[in-house]
Amino acid sequence: MEKVPAVGTIAKIPAVGLGTWKASPGEAAEAVKVAIDAGYRHFDCAYLYHNENEIGAGIRHKIKEGVVRREDLFVVSKLWCTYHEPSLVKMACKKSLKALKLDYLDLYLMHWPMGFQAMEDLVIKGLVKDIGVSNFNHEQLERLLNKPDLKFKPITNQIECHPYLTQKNLIRFCKAKDVSVTAYRSLGGSREGTDLLNNPTIRRIANHYNKSCAQILIRFQIQRNLIVIPKSTNPKRIQENIQVFDFELTENHMDEIMSLNRNLRLATFPTTESHKDYPFHIDF
Ligand code: NDP
């Protein structure tokens, strides 16, 4: 079994972050405040989620209260593909910064695999500390890493990952290239989601440790040395989802959870399926 990092960070990213997709503008600021009080320091945001303004308000509130400093936080945003044109990249980044009320992002992800160079300039200009990618398959990542003029290596590949889509091959590939992996939809998501939170195996294991199914799903990823960003706007669940550092799944339980894999992809981005860079036409 992989050794869980004692400090709770992987490739300088706090191991558990708050997901914010579908956090409505009415809920987002409060969720961020509750999360900061519960110990979250990593926030996974995106221009596409239409709530960066409220997330920024929550962050600002907690900084003003003196609960955290900017440098204690790890704030991630993502460049959506309508802004991949090099001339638009800086503008898009500044839009997110303005909404979040921040001078810089800790990490800016290319939300979807198309174009990269203009993102590197953001690091040079000091608008973002690091850059990363999301939804890249191994060929796309390899191509990017092999670019002779690559200035900044992506520090993470944010991908869908949960027991029904364990992503063994892509994770092995990323690790071999020293690119960390951030697992999204780790609980199986909501409306369009799965029964993962009610899966009998997960439930039995949860009962064994006296933990919730969500905590098992999150801990599972941490023990694989992944960063994990469960989304919740419910105060009790926000707190629950970070209480995952006081127990350890046995190797047998890890194997059992791994064996639930059925290569079931939930986030398929169907509107982009015919694009030449659609990442999910190959195995990994
Ligand atoms: P998740 O797997 O995190 O599931 C979120 C759902 O689970 C919500 O409905 C939430 O409801 C519920 N939930 C949260 N905690 C618990 C709990 N302890 N018990 C029971 N239910 C719970 O799905 P997401 O798709 O939101 O993925 C997480 C994050 O990953 C996103 O928010 C986003 O930040 C990122 N993401 C990135 C993508 C990309 O392309 N890069 C794509 C998809 C997601 P409630 O809020 O009511 O608690």
Side-chain angles (χ1 to χ4, degrees), residues 22-89:
K22 285 199 178 154
S24 71
E27 312 168 305
E30 200 47 41
V32 167
K33 290 185 212 164
V34 170
I36 289 177
D37 286 341
Y40 288 73
R41 295 296 178 261
H42 168 187
F43 294 89
D44 184 73
C45 316
Y47 171 77
L48 189 70
Y49 303 163
H50 303 296
N51 54 13
E52 289 190 321
N53 210 14
E54 293 71 22
I55 291 169
I59 290 176
R60 177 166 279 197
H61 184 94
K62 283 293 160 189
I63 291 177
K64 264 198 177 153
E65 266 189 352
V67 177
V68 282
R69 298 164 303 169
R70 169 65 186 95
E71 56 270 34
D72 300 328
L73 302 177
F74 193 92
V75 184
V76 183
S77 185
K78 312 187 191 85
L79 177 77
W80 186 237
C81 44
T82 45
Y83 292 94
H84 283 175
E85 199 56 43
S87 63
L88 299 178
V89 170

Side-chain angles (χ1 to χ4, degrees), residues 51 118 150 196:
N51 54 13
L150 186 76
L196 206 45

Side-chain angles (χ1 to χ4, degrees), residues 21 44 134-135 158 185 187 189-190 231-233 237 241:
W21 183 56
D44 184 73
S134 179
N135 298 305
Q158 185 179 115
R185 201 145 297 176
L187 309 178
S190 52
K231 176 265 173 185
S232 181
T233 47
R237 292 195 283 274
N241 294 348

